[in-house]
Amino acid sequence: MERMTFDLASSSLTEMNTFLHKGLEEGDKRHISVLNPDGAHNIAVGLNHPVTVEIHGHAGYYAGGMNKHARVVIHGSAGTGVAENMMSGSVHVKGFASNGAGATAHGGLLVIDGDAGLRCGISLKGGDIVVGGSVGSFSGFMAQAGHMVICGDAGDALGDSLYEAVIYLRGNVKSLGADAQFEDMTDADYATLAELLSKAGMDHDPKSFKRIASARTLYHWNADANQEY
């Protein structure tokens, strides 16, 4: 496998991203190392090839956003919107992630070894997210499809206005959001959870998790609810 290195201390982020978009051929599987990222924003965004990009340090906003096919590994922490709108492939944050991690992801797998900030998985549309630590408030807000696995605790309003996405929580939650409820785990849940934990390299017992899903009371407008605005 061909290997390349971009050192952002001596070359520009634009130069690297231009190569990732225009210098790769269909099906390219080379391994690319990024040195001295120094919190730069928009690293490895919109990748369309099955390359591996390893970022050795902290990444800024939107790292690995709109990913398709690539495997992106961040050996550090990530700023707002990591793996935002991901379509496929994987993004692995070895440290912590800031707000909006995995927002609107349609597919692929986002793994965060540490904690995640506010609104993790907001408007999730089919991707899977595994967080080794805890998540901030409003995580899973309006999550429409896919799975969130939270190995730690969760803040306020977890799963507010959930649709068909399912959240698996190992720790405690400060509060559930509107229309979110705890449900009994099934054999299918245990199997799904075991697979996701295995992919994320985590060995928690699936039976230590609780399932949170939509009560489906918000699916249709209720004209008799006597609500005031």
Side-chain angles (χ1 to χ4, degrees), residues 86-107:
M86 177 165 57
M87 295 296 168
S88 62
S90 67
V91 175
H92 189 166
V93 181
K94 297 284 189 174
F96 304 96
S98 188
N99 300 336
T104 75
H106 290 249

PDB file of all heavy atoms in Angstrom, residues 86-107:
ATOM      1  N   MET A  86     -21.705  12.667   7.068  1.00  0.00           N
ATOM      2  CA  MET A  86     -20.979  11.516   6.523  1.00  0.00           C
ATOM      3  C   MET A  86     -21.933  10.595   5.763  1.00  0.00           C
ATOM      4  O   MET A  86     -23.066  10.370   6.195  1.00  0.00           O
ATOM      5  CB  MET A  86     -20.294  10.755   7.657  1.00  0.00           C
ATOM      6  CG  MET A  86     -19.560   9.485   7.208  1.00  0.00           C
ATOM      7  SD  MET A  86     -18.411   8.844   8.459  1.00  0.00           S
ATOM      8  CE  MET A  86     -19.498   8.606   9.859  1.00  0.00           C
ATOM      9  N   MET A  87     -21.467  10.060   4.661  1.00  0.00           N
ATOM     10  CA  MET A  87     -22.287   9.175   3.834  1.00  0.00           C
ATOM     11  C   MET A  87     -21.908   7.704   4.013  1.00  0.00           C
ATOM     12  O   MET A  87     -22.763   6.830   4.028  1.00  0.00           O
ATOM     13  CB  MET A  87     -22.144   9.563   2.356  1.00  0.00           C
ATOM     14  CG  MET A  87     -22.685  10.935   2.038  1.00  0.00           C
ATOM     15  SD  MET A  87     -24.465  11.023   2.304  1.00  0.00           S
ATOM     16  CE  MET A  87     -24.734  12.786   2.222  1.00  0.00           C
ATOM     17  N   SER A  88     -20.613   7.423   4.116  1.00  0.00           N
ATOM     18  CA  SER A  88     -20.138   6.054   4.300  1.00  0.00           C
ATOM     19  C   SER A  88     -18.702   6.127   4.786  1.00  0.00           C
ATOM     20  O   SER A  88     -18.156   7.212   4.995  1.00  0.00           O
ATOM     21  CB  SER A  88     -20.241   5.244   3.003  1.00  0.00           C
ATOM     22  OG  SER A  88     -19.432   5.815   1.978  1.00  0.00           O
ATOM     23  N   GLY A  89     -18.088   4.967   4.980  1.00  0.00           N
ATOM     24  CA  GLY A  89     -16.737   4.958   5.508  1.00  0.00           C
ATOM     25  C   GLY A  89     -16.750   5.064   7.014  1.00  0.00           C
ATOM     26  O   GLY A  89     -17.745   4.738   7.677  1.00  0.00           O
ATOM     27  N   SER A  90     -15.651   5.564   7.585  1.00  0.00           N
ATOM     28  CA  SER A  90     -15.578   5.677   9.038  1.00  0.00           C
ATOM     29  C   SER A  90     -14.701   6.852   9.441  1.00  0.00           C
ATOM     30  O   SER A  90     -13.786   7.245   8.721  1.00  0.00           O
ATOM     31  CB  SER A  90     -15.024   4.384   9.652  1.00  0.00           C
ATOM     32  OG  SER A  90     -13.669   4.189   9.288  1.00  0.00           O
ATOM     33  N   VAL A  91     -15.035   7.402  10.607  1.00  0.00           N
ATOM     34  CA  VAL A  91     -14.218   8.437  11.232  1.00  0.00           C
ATOM     35  C   VAL A  91     -14.019   8.017  12.682  1.00  0.00           C
ATOM     36  O   VAL A  91     -14.992   7.699  13.378  1.00  0.00           O
ATOM     37  CB  VAL A  91     -14.882   9.825  11.169  1.00  0.00           C
ATOM     38  CG1 VAL A  91     -14.053  10.849  11.935  1.00  0.00           C
ATOM     39  CG2 VAL A  91     -15.071  10.271   9.721  1.00  0.00           C
ATOM     40  N   HIS A  92     -12.768   7.981  13.136  1.00  0.00           N
ATOM     41  CA  HIS A  92     -12.450   7.542  14.492  1.00  0.00           C
ATOM     42  C   HIS A  92     -11.671   8.643  15.187  1.00  0.00           C
ATOM     43  O   HIS A  92     -10.556   8.984  14.785  1.00  0.00           O
ATOM     44  CB  HIS A  92     -11.625   6.252  14.448  1.00  0.00           C
ATOM     45  CG  HIS A  92     -11.441   5.618  15.787  1.00  0.00           C
ATOM     46  ND1 HIS A  92     -10.983   4.320  15.941  1.00  0.00           N
ATOM     47  CD2 HIS A  92     -11.630   6.079  17.055  1.00  0.00           C
ATOM     48  CE1 HIS A  92     -10.921   4.021  17.226  1.00  0.00           C
ATOM     49  NE2 HIS A  92     -11.295   5.090  17.923  1.00  0.00           N
ATOM     50  N   VAL A  93     -12.266   9.196  16.253  1.00  0.00           N
ATOM     51  CA  VAL A  93     -11.621  10.233  17.050  1.00  0.00           C
ATOM     52  C   VAL A  93     -11.048   9.569  18.299  1.00  0.00           C
ATOM     53  O   VAL A  93     -11.801   9.050  19.130  1.00  0.00           O
ATOM     54  CB  VAL A  93     -12.615  11.341  17.446  1.00  0.00           C
ATOM     55  CG1 VAL A  93     -11.907  12.426  18.259  1.00  0.00           C
ATOM     56  CG2 VAL A  93     -13.280  11.937  16.216  1.00  0.00           C
ATOM     57  N   LYS A  94      -9.743   9.588  18.434  1.00  0.00           N
ATOM     58  CA  LYS A  94      -9.111   8.918  19.564  1.00  0.00           C
ATOM     59  C   LYS A  94      -9.243   9.715  20.867  1.00  0.00           C
ATOM     60  O   LYS A  94      -9.080   9.155  21.956  1.00  0.00           O
ATOM     61  CB  LYS A  94      -7.633   8.690  19.270  1.00  0.00           C
ATOM     62  CG  LYS A  94      -7.357   7.779  18.082  1.00  0.00           C
ATOM     63  CD  LYS A  94      -7.585   6.327  18.437  1.00  0.00           C
ATOM     64  CE  LYS A  94      -7.100   5.409  17.325  1.00  0.00           C
ATOM     65  NZ  LYS A  94      -7.176   3.978  17.715  1.00  0.00           N
ATOM     66  N   GLY A  95      -9.541  10.991  20.751  1.00  0.00           N
ATOM     67  CA  GLY A  95      -9.710  11.829  21.929  1.00  0.00           C
ATOM     68  C   GLY A  95     -11.161  12.200  22.150  1.00  0.00           C
ATOM     69  O   GLY A  95     -12.043  11.333  22.176  1.00  0.00           O
ATOM     70  N   PHE A  96     -11.406  13.493  22.289  1.00  0.00           N
ATOM     71  CA  PHE A  96     -12.742  14.008  22.540  1.00  0.00           C
ATOM     72  C   PHE A  96     -13.271  14.715  21.303  1.00  0.00           C
ATOM     73  O   PHE A  96     -12.519  15.119  20.430  1.00  0.00           O
ATOM     74  CB  PHE A  96     -12.707  14.984  23.727  1.00  0.00           C
ATOM     75  CG  PHE A  96     -12.130  14.385  24.980  1.00  0.00           C
ATOM     76  CD1 PHE A  96     -10.791  14.565  25.299  1.00  0.00           C
ATOM     77  CD2 PHE A  96     -12.913  13.634  25.828  1.00  0.00           C
ATOM     78  CE1 PHE A  96     -10.244  14.007  26.453  1.00  0.00           C
ATOM     79  CE2 PHE A  96     -12.388  13.066  26.975  1.00  0.00           C
ATOM     80  CZ  PHE A  96     -11.048  13.250  27.295  1.00  0.00           C
ATOM     81  N   ALA A  97     -14.599  14.887  21.245  1.00  0.00           N
ATOM     82  CA  ALA A  97     -15.224  15.587  20.131  1.00  0.00           C
ATOM     83  C   ALA A  97     -16.080  16.724  20.661  1.00  0.00           C
ATOM     84  O   ALA A  97     -16.766  16.571  21.676  1.00  0.00           O
ATOM     85  CB  ALA A  97     -16.076  14.633  19.300  1.00  0.00           C
ATOM     86  N   SER A  98     -16.065  17.835  19.961  1.00  0.00           N
ATOM     87  CA  SER A  98     -16.847  18.990  20.373  1.00  0.00           C
ATOM     88  C   SER A  98     -18.300  18.850  19.896  1.00  0.00           C
ATOM     89  O   SER A  98     -18.777  17.755  19.606  1.00  0.00           O
ATOM     90  CB  SER A  98     -16.204  20.269  19.832  1.00  0.00           C
ATOM     91  OG  SER A  98     -16.827  21.413  20.364  1.00  0.00           O
ATOM     92  N   ASN A  99     -18.979  19.969  19.803  1.00  0.00           N
ATOM     93  CA  ASN A  99     -20.419  19.961  19.522  1.00  0.00           C
ATOM     94  C   ASN A  99     -20.755  19.436  18.128  1.00  0.00           C
ATOM     95  O   ASN A  99     -19.990  19.578  17.183  1.00  0.00           O
ATOM     96  CB  ASN A  99     -20.975  21.384  19.643  1.00  0.00           C
ATOM     97  CG  ASN A  99     -20.775  21.974  21.015  1.00  0.00           C
ATOM     98  OD1 ASN A  99     -20.640  21.249  21.995  1.00  0.00           O
ATOM     99  ND2 ASN A  99     -20.748  23.294  21.108  1.00  0.00           N
ATOM    100  N   GLY A 100     -21.946  18.852  18.017  1.00  0.00           N
ATOM    101  CA  GLY A 100     -22.479  18.458  16.720  1.00  0.00           C
ATOM    102  C   GLY A 100     -21.753  17.313  16.043  1.00  0.00           C
ATOM    103  O   GLY A 100     -21.819  17.184  14.812  1.00  0.00           O
ATOM    104  N   ALA A 101     -21.100  16.454  16.785  1.00  0.00           N
ATOM    105  CA  ALA A 101     -20.393  15.322  16.174  1.00  0.00           C
ATOM    106  C   ALA A 101     -21.379  14.413  15.455  1.00  0.00           C
ATOM    107  O   ALA A 101     -22.414  14.043  15.999  1.00  0.00           O
ATOM    108  CB  ALA A 101     -19.644  14.533  17.241  1.00  0.00           C
ATOM    109  N   GLY A 102     -21.062  14.076  14.210  1.00  0.00           N
ATOM    110  CA  GLY A 102     -21.907  13.163  13.446  1.00  0.00           C
ATOM    111  C   GLY A 102     -23.240  13.736  13.029  1.00  0.00           C
ATOM    112  O   GLY A 102     -24.139  12.986  12.619  1.00  0.00           O
ATOM    113  N   ALA A 103     -23.397  15.030  13.081  1.00  0.00           N
ATOM    114  CA  ALA A 103     -24.676  15.652  12.718  1.00  0.00           C
ATOM    115  C   ALA A 103     -25.092  15.282  11.300  1.00  0.00           C
ATOM    116  O   ALA A 103     -24.276  15.298  10.384  1.00  0.00           O
ATOM    117  CB  ALA A 103     -24.566  17.168  12.841  1.00  0.00           C
ATOM    118  N   THR A 104     -26.324  14.910  11.131  1.00  0.00           N
ATOM    119  CA  THR A 104     -26.972  14.577   9.847  1.00  0.00           C
ATOM    120  C   THR A 104     -26.312  13.436   9.096  1.00  0.00           C
ATOM    121  O   THR A 104     -26.552  13.267   7.895  1.00  0.00           O
ATOM    122  CB  THR A 104     -27.073  15.805   8.906  1.00  0.00           C
ATOM    123  OG1 THR A 104     -25.794  16.099   8.336  1.00  0.00           O
ATOM    124  CG2 THR A 104     -27.623  17.034   9.621  1.00  0.00           C
ATOM    125  N   ALA A 105     -25.492  12.633   9.749  1.00  0.00           N
ATOM    126  CA  ALA A 105     -24.793  11.541   9.043  1.00  0.00           C
ATOM    127  C   ALA A 105     -25.796  10.563   8.433  1.00  0.00           C
ATOM    128  O   ALA A 105     -26.687  10.064   9.115  1.00  0.00           O
ATOM    129  CB  ALA A 105     -23.862  10.809   9.994  1.00  0.00           C
ATOM    130  N   HIS A 106     -25.639  10.285   7.156  1.00  0.00           N
ATOM    131  CA  HIS A 106     -26.532   9.377   6.428  1.00  0.00           C
ATOM    132  C   HIS A 106     -26.073   7.929   6.518  1.00  0.00           C
ATOM    133  O   HIS A 106     -26.864   7.013   6.321  1.00  0.00           O
ATOM    134  CB  HIS A 106     -26.609   9.785   4.957  1.00  0.00           C
ATOM    135  CG  HIS A 106     -27.341  11.056   4.724  1.00  0.00           C
ATOM    136  ND1 HIS A 106     -28.566  11.130   4.101  1.00  0.00           N
ATOM    137  CD2 HIS A 106     -27.023  12.334   5.044  1.00  0.00           C
ATOM    138  CE1 HIS A 106     -28.968  12.380   4.032  1.00  0.00           C
ATOM    139  NE2 HIS A 106     -28.041  13.140   4.593  1.00  0.00           N
ATOM    140  N   GLY A 107     -24.790   7.703   6.746  1.00  0.00           N
ATOM    141  CA  GLY A 107     -24.245   6.351   6.794  1.00  0.00           C
ATOM    142  C   GLY A 107     -22.870   6.380   7.414  1.00  0.00           C
ATOM    143  O   GLY A 107     -22.409   7.406   7.918  1.00  0.00           O
TER     144      GLY A 107
END
